[in-house]
């Protein structure tokens, strides 16, 4: 296993990452055989948000282990990337900017670890695909990276979608409105072609992040796989597929060669989503799995909806809003997507206001930078944006409800949010900054922390 300059794992390779987690006390090993239906997720949820990921060594009905939790804690992620936790949004936004300015294209190799075993007779029942929540409609691939190509230009696109197993070699897929995969499928339909894609399971955070970078930062027609090259510190390695021109990730644990036939649909859902609600059942595109490649010692990766999505979609959204605001609004210092806001519906923006009206400018720019946002709260730079009580303090004492609340009606939002039926709803911005110019009545009281060294102080134990 190679290591990067910060002494952590080669993040292009999940096997190396698991080894690094194990070697640094950051891996929980579940040695008892577990049921992939509900039990696996139930155990994983016990460790959710903690400093360790989880490896299920034996999963009923399959010979492959299951790995969960790579993204559920920023401490874990910061450790893996060798970065301080608070610098992650800035780091991610710099990586994306570097890619925009100097893209490093992926390289296509003849073979990679994923080619160790090829199964022509695709049978998804051999894989340990878990069923997470009580009312989920079935087993789901929820951490697989889709790679496809624009049928017209051949330019690659990558994204993450949830896939329900609905047959031995059939998957029903959820494609949200506006996704580039939807566009590729429509283009294939117009040419009366099928749309080939690969589903890559068990990849490192570089490729995962590249797939999750919002369209606002990676517009259609750019090969966003290059973003993975930037995170990995070397060109992303792909291998050619055997059945179509679409490549697979050379380092994936498992890669499925699939195709979408325009017009073919199958009921998909329910699925416990990041919103804390079940996504509804509806006919959605049906994918055919034509061939399965995997490493001999493959590990299946899954994501528990919740914290893991806060730190993938949420972190990338934060990075994009931060990058845009820093470009457009003087004084913006930091951005945080709250966890109560499902990781990507509520942004808190910190600003050192230089002129009246810039807080409102920040509100509008944040909405433009990331369409799933429903709420944006702007606070001054004496407020800790990661502390809900501090943000509430700013709202309770600085927000003027008559002039500081901006409501935007009938605007496109995130369809999974139940207040956005058919992707349409209202959004709200809160300007919780002090009036500008600042007046002494809004100055925050402060006690200077006094050093305790050398003082004779007795702190007794509490007795019941
Ligand atoms: C864990 C995870 C699950 C996701 N699930 C879906 C999904 O089921 N459907 C979907 O359209 N987008 C989903 N997304 C979001 C898209 O992958 C993401 O917005 C991506 O940037 C879309 O790529 P595109 O801009 O090329 O369309 C998910 C993201 C993550 C990180
Ligand atoms: Mn895209």
């Amino acid at each position: 296993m190679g290591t990067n300059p910060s002494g952590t794992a080669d993040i292009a390779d999940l096997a190396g990452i698991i080894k690094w987690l194990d070697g640094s006390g950051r891996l929980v090993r579940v040695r008892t055989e577990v049921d992939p239906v509900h039990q696996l997720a139930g155990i994983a949820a016990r460790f959710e948000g903690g400093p360790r990921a989880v490896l299920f060594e034996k999963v009923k009905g399959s010979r492959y282990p299951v790995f969960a939790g790579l993204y559920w804690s920023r401490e874990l992620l910061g450790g893996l990337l060798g970065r301080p936790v608070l610098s992650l949004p800035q780091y991610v936004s710099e990586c994306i900017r570097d890619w925009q300015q100097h893209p490093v294209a992926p390289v296509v190799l003849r073979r990679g670890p994923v080619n160790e075993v090829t199964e022509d007779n695709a049978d998804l029942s051999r894989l340990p695909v878990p069923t997470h929540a009580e009312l989920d409609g079935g087993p789901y691939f929820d951490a697989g990276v889709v790679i496809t190509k624009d049928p017209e230009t051949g330019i690659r696109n990558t994204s993450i979608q949830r896939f329900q197993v609905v047959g031995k070699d059939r998957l029903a897929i959820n494609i949200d409105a506006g996704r580039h995969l939807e566009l590729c499928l429509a283009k294939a339909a117009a040419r009366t072609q099928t749309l080939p894609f690969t589903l890559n399971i068990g990849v490192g955070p570089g490729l995962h992040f590249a797939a999750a970078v919002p369209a606002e930062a990676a517009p259609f027609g750019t090969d966003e796989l290059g973003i993975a090259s930037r995170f990995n510190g070397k060109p992303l390695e792909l291998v050619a597929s055997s059945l179509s021109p679409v490549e697979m990730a050379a380092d994936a644990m498992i890669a499925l060669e699939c195709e979408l036939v325009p017009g073919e649909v199958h009921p998909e859902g329910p699925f416990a989503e990041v919103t804390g609600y079940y996504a509804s059942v509806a006919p959605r595109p049906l994918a055919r799995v034509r061939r399965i490649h995997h490493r001999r010692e493959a590990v299946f990766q899954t994501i528990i909806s919740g914290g893991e999505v806060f730190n993938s979609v949420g972190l990338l959204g934060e990075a994009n809003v931060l990058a845009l605001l820093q470009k457009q609004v003087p004084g913006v210092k930091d951005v945080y997507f709250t966890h109560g806001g499902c990781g990507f519906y509520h942004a808190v923006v910190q600003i050192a206001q230089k002129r009246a009206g810039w807080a409102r400018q920040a509100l509008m720019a944040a909405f433009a930078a990331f369409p799933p946002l429903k709420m944006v709260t702007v606070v001054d730079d004496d407020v800790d944006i990661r502390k809900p009580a501090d943000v509430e303090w700013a709202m309770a004492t600085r927000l003027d409800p008559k002039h500081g609340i901006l409501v935007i009606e009938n605007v496109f939002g995130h369809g999974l949010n139940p207040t956005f039926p058919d992707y349409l709803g209202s959004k709200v911005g809160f300007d919780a900054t002090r009036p500008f110019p600042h007046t002494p009545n809004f100055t925050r009281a402060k006690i200077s922390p006094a050093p305790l060294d050398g003082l004779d102080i007795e702190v007794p134990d509490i007795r019941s």
Side-chain angles (χ1 to χ4, degrees):
M1 178 193 64
T3 53
N4 68 25
S6 56
T8 51
D10 171 357
I11 63 158
D13 168 34
L14 188 63
I17 290 172
I18 292 173
K19 233 184 194 170
W20 178 82
L21 293 169
D22 205 15
S24 61
R26 291 177 168 99
L27 187 73
V28 173
R29 286 180 173 275
V30 179
R31 298 217 163 87
T32 309
E33 184 179 85
V34 299
D35 195 327
V37 182
H38 303 153
Q39 191 191 10
L40 184 150
I43 296 170
R46 297 266 182 155
F47 296 95
E48 189 178 0
R52 297 174 188 86
V54 182
L55 185 69
F56 295 90
E57 293 183 356
K58 289 197 203 97
V59 180
K60 208 167 114 190
S62 176
R63 52 173 289 258
Y64 307 106
V66 173
F67 175 71
L70 192 58
Y71 301 100
W72 65 33
S73 131
R74 289 217 180 167
E75 285 66 32
L76 186 70
L77 204 52
L80 179 64
L81 299 174
R83 313 271 154 189
V85 171
L86 288 183
S87 73
L88 284 176
Q90 191 71 48
Y91 168 64
V92 169
S93 109
E94 280 164 18
C95 287
I96 295 170
R97 193 199 51 211
D98 284 357
W99 163 74
Q100 288 163 339
Q101 293 171 352
H102 312 284
V104 177
V107 291
V108 182
L109 310 178
R110 298 223 9 241
R111 289 183 65 78
V114 75
N115 299 113
E116 282 172 2
V117 182
T118 294
E119 294 173 11
D120 288 321
N121 188 9
D123 182 0
L124 297 171
S125 72
R126 287 194 215 132
L127 297 177
V129 192
T131 303
H132 290 330
E134 291 175 359
L135 301 185
D136 278 5
Y140 269 89
F141 289 82
D142 64 350
V145 168
V146 175
I147 299 175
T148 192
K149 283 185 174 171
D150 178 333
E152 256 169 49
T153 65
I155 296 173
R156 296 185 194 94
N157 192 70
T158 183
S159 54
I160 295 176
Q161 264 87 13
R162 63 168 199 260
F163 289 83
Q164 183 179 357
V165 178
V166 295
K168 179 174 150 287
D169 54 2
R170 292 286 189 275
L171 295 166
I173 168 177
N174 169 62
I175 309 175
D176 291 342
R179 296 287 186 240
H180 295 158
L181 188 58
E182 183 186 53
L183 211 57
C184 290
L185 185 57
K187 284 190 175 196
R191 300 162 75 97
T192 59
Q193 292 172 354
T194 61
L195 182 72
F197 70 94
T198 61
L199 182 59
N200 301 269
I201 299 115
V203 303
L207 180 51
H208 184 94
F209 285 171
V213 163
E216 289 66 36
F220 193 59
T222 51
D223 183 351
E224 53 203 336
L225 284 176
I227 299 170
S229 306
R230 176 61 185 78
F231 279 104
N232 293 351
K234 59 181 184 187
L236 176 73
E237 294 178 347
L238 301 174
V239 287
S241 297
S242 43
L243 299 170
S244 86
V246 178
E247 294 90 358
M248 324 179 265
D251 281 318
M253 290 284 185
I254 302 165
L256 315 182
E257 288 190 59
C258 309
E259 67 182 359
L260 283 161
V261 180
E264 272 192 10
V265 293
H266 190 281
E268 187 271 331
F271 179 72
E273 267 294 351
V274 58
T275 51
Y277 296 100
Y278 288 98
S280 64
V281 185
R284 299 201 171 95
L286 180 68
R288 303 174 180 204
V289 183
R290 300 180 61 201
R291 195 167 274 178
I292 299 181
H293 308 266
H294 61 86
R295 297 193 192 189
R296 220 163 270 117
E297 303 301 327
V299 174
F300 187 90
Q301 187 178 9
T302 190
I303 275 183
I304 307 296
S305 284
E308 292 222 63
V309 186
F310 299 158
N311 295 324
S312 46
V313 178
L315 177 60
L316 288 153
E318 254 174 44
N320 200 44
V321 171
L322 183 64
L324 200 90
L325 290 188
Q326 285 182 335
K327 226 187 285 174
Q328 299 195 345
V329 186
V332 167
K333 298 182 83 172
D334 206 357
V335 174
Y336 182 63
F337 283 16
T338 70
H339 283 198
C342 305
F344 59 108
Y345 292 151
H346 183 193
V348 184
V349 177
Q350 191 190 53
I351 188 170
Q353 226 174 169
K354 303 273 187 286
R355 250 192 115 86
W358 279 120
R360 282 197 160 221
Q361 206 60 34
L363 284 179
M364 295 189 290
F367 282 126
F370 195 66
L373 283 175
K374 174 188 179 178
M375 301 173 21
V376 178
T377 303
V378 186
V379 296
D380 293 291
D381 62 344
D382 57 353
V383 174
D384 185 341
I385 57 174
R386 289 171 188 81
K387 282 208 183 115
D390 227 34
V391 174
E392 188 182 355
W393 172 82
M395 296 185 81
T397 64
R398 291 178 173 174
L399 173 71
D400 167 5
K402 199 154 166 62
H403 303 107
I405 299 179
L406 182 76
V407 175
I408 312 153
E409 289 175 60
N410 290 325
V411 53
F412 178 85
H414 197 232
L416 281 179
N417 188 322
T419 54
F420 283 76
D422 207 18
Y423 297 87
L424 203 62
S426 299
K427 300 193 177 185
V428 61
F430 300 103
D431 175 3
T433 58
R434 290 169 285 176
F436 195 92
H438 300 152
T439 50
N441 50 331
F442 282 99
T443 300
R444 192 164 192 173
K446 190 170 169 226
I447 291 178
S448 338
L452 299 182
D453 324 327
L455 304 185
D456 183 358
I457 299 177
E458 188 190 338
V459 183
D461 287 336
I462 309 236
R463 291 172 286 269
S464 52

